[in-house]
Amino acid sequence: MKAGSWGSILLIYLYGVLGSASLSKVIPLQGDFAQHLGASPAQFGLLMAMLSIPPALFATVSGSIADRIGARTVLIASALAGALANAMAWQASSLAAFQGIRLLEGFVLAGVYSSAPALVMATTSNERRGKAMAFWSTYTPVGISLGMLIGSHFAGGEDWRSAYAAQGALFAVLAVAGLMLPASPRGGPAREVPSLLSAYAQPGPLRIALSFAVLVVMGLGLNTVFPTWYAARHGGTVAGAASLYATLNFTMILGGLATATLLGRGIEPQKIFRGLAMLAGISALGIFMPGHGTSLMFTALVVWLFVSGAATAIVTSSLPRVISNPTQGAAAAGLLSQIAALTTFVTPQLWILVLGSGAGAWAGFLAIIAVCWLLALWLFPIRDR
């Protein structure tokens, strides 16, 4: 497969999609875990969270290792590990076994999230690189939806574990298809711990990662509280609001693709980012300000999700511009993934705390969004290296 071709970019993209499917695949299976394994809500929540532990702890180191042995190699190994983990889960019979397997799946994510964007950056150049990274940024909503579809198809039946078999089979296919991927340049032979953490010493990748983390605080936070907020203020059920939000979430993909188009026309990322900040502020007012109907709120939500997808694409596509050494792309991508994973541990608690403050919670939500966007605007404008 030709390096930098759209066929190669799409194949790399599928690794991110299938990896993200691991995040949501188990959500429809909560009832099955309770019925067949006696998992309480708290135990199921722990099972969900364990997937984020390896990326939060090891994503940067995983990226540095990928820079040394090759991102293509790590992607194939991650797909094989994903196939193995899902095969083990297909046969697992205890909650403890599923928890251990969940950790293994987390290492799969650490490998994919650091190596896939690094391989995109290493095999593309100039205008295509920006478009490809903007396209790459849309893998999360697509993967979340794929995981929900896989889990929903098997949930509630005796063969509920076959959701793992289905994803395992897809991982096996990707491992074989990965042999067609182009190789990326490898870094030097150094193996010392300081070199494995060198991405932290580069201000460009660190600022990009922090910008991304700020976007995660806003996006994940709204994900966390919106269903409950909507049900309490506008009627309906939490489940119905969550389903509607998941459907509208595809708007993020349109935002990412729009960003790729604008970057392809040579528009400066900083100008786009400032415009997105203004749209985000207006849409946040439409979502949270009291005294208006559901039509305006859902219009504002669509705009918010579009802006979120576009902003994520802007930040992600800027990563190649700030890497001082082109052979350290995986370490930089791993840094972004690691800081984002760490952010996911505190974000839900912050937004839920504000949600519990009562009728004035809307002001707290708007304050969080205002502070986050000011931080993002301060962190993001970075000179090209």
Side-chain angles (χ1 to χ4, degrees):
M1 188 173 288
K2 184 179 179 180
S5 67
W6 280 109
S8 171
I9 294 167
L10 179 59
L11 180 54
I12 298 169
Y13 177 80
L14 292 178
Y15 277 86
V17 169
L18 191 57
S20 293
S22 299
L23 297 168
S24 58
K25 171 189 61 187
V26 300
I27 294 176
L29 302 177
Q30 181 174 0
D32 298 290
F33 275 97
Q35 178 182 350
H36 299 284
L37 301 177
S40 66
Q43 289 173 321
F44 185 78
L46 177 62
L47 179 70
M48 289 281 296
M50 292 182 78
L51 188 71
S52 299
I53 294 176
L57 297 178
F58 304 112
T60 303
V61 172
S62 171
S64 296
I65 293 172
D67 285 328
R68 284 155 177 73
I69 68 175
R72 173 179 177 269
T73 301
V74 174
L75 278 181
I76 295 173
S78 297
L80 290 173
L84 174 63
N86 279 277
M88 293 167 60
W90 185 32
Q91 299 297 320
S93 58
S94 69
L95 184 60
F98 276 100
Q99 289 172 335
I101 293 166
R102 191 74 169 165
L103 281 175
L104 178 56
E105 286 188 288
F107 282 102
V108 172
L109 293 192
V112 168
Y113 288 170
S114 59
S115 301
L119 191 55
V120 172
M121 290 186 285
T123 56
T124 55
S125 59
N126 301 327
E127 179 182 325
R128 176 161 294 187
R129 178 179 291 163
K131 288 183 177 180
M133 289 300 290
F135 174 63
W136 160 256
S137 72
T138 67
Y139 72 89
T140 299
V142 176
I144 293 295
S145 298
L146 174 63
M148 293 288 286
L149 288 173
I150 292 174
S152 298
H153 182 74
F154 295 100
E158 290 299 320
D159 61 341
W160 62 276
R161 288 182 179 83
S162 294
Y164 286 92
Q167 190 184 19
L170 292 175
F171 266 124
V173 170
L174 271 189
V176 175
L179 298 173
M180 298 187 295
L181 288 172
S184 60
R186 300 182 185 183
R191 295 179 176 83
E192 295 85 357
V193 171
S195 68
L196 294 177
L197 301 177
S198 59
Y200 280 100
Q202 300 182 43
L206 183 58
R207 291 181 66 176
I208 285 287
L210 291 173
S211 300
F212 187 79
V214 169
L215 297 180
V216 169
V217 171
M218 292 186 284
L220 178 59
L222 188 58
N223 277 340
T224 302
V225 302
F226 178 80
T228 304
W229 169 267
Y230 174 78
R233 300 312 187 271
H234 299 281
T237 65
V238 173
S243 177
L244 180 60
Y245 189 95
T247 301
L248 295 177
N249 202 43
F250 278 102
T251 311
M252 291 182 65
I253 301 172
L254 299 179
L257 296 177
T259 291
T261 301
L262 293 175
L263 292 174
R265 294 178 178 176
I267 301 178
E268 285 294 320
Q270 290 85 351
K271 292 182 180 179
I272 303 174
F273 204 65
R274 287 193 291 269
L276 293 175
M278 294 178 61
L279 283 175
I282 294 171
S283 61
L285 289 172
I287 293 171
F288 291 116
M289 281 285 288
H292 56 77
T294 57
S295 297
L296 176 59
M297 189 205 64
F298 280 120
T299 301
L301 180 60
V302 169
V303 174
W304 170 272
L305 292 171
F306 180 90
V307 168
S308 296
T312 301
I314 286 286
V315 172
T316 305
S317 64
S318 297
L319 188 59
R321 298 168 42 226
V322 299
I323 299 173
S324 59
N325 186 339
T327 64
Q328 294 180 337
L335 174 64
L336 185 147
S337 176
Q338 183 173 33
I339 292 180
L342 289 169
T343 305
T344 62
F345 284 110
V346 298
T347 295
Q349 286 76 14
L350 171 64
W351 283 70
I352 290 172
L353 179 64
V354 175
L355 179 65
S357 63
W362 64 272
F365 294 143
L366 292 178
I368 293 173
I369 291 169
V371 171
C372 284
W373 266 109
L374 288 173
L375 282 173
L377 289 168
W378 176 66
L379 288 165
F380 175 71
I382 301 168
R383 296 176 181 175
D384 290 359
R385 296 298 299 260

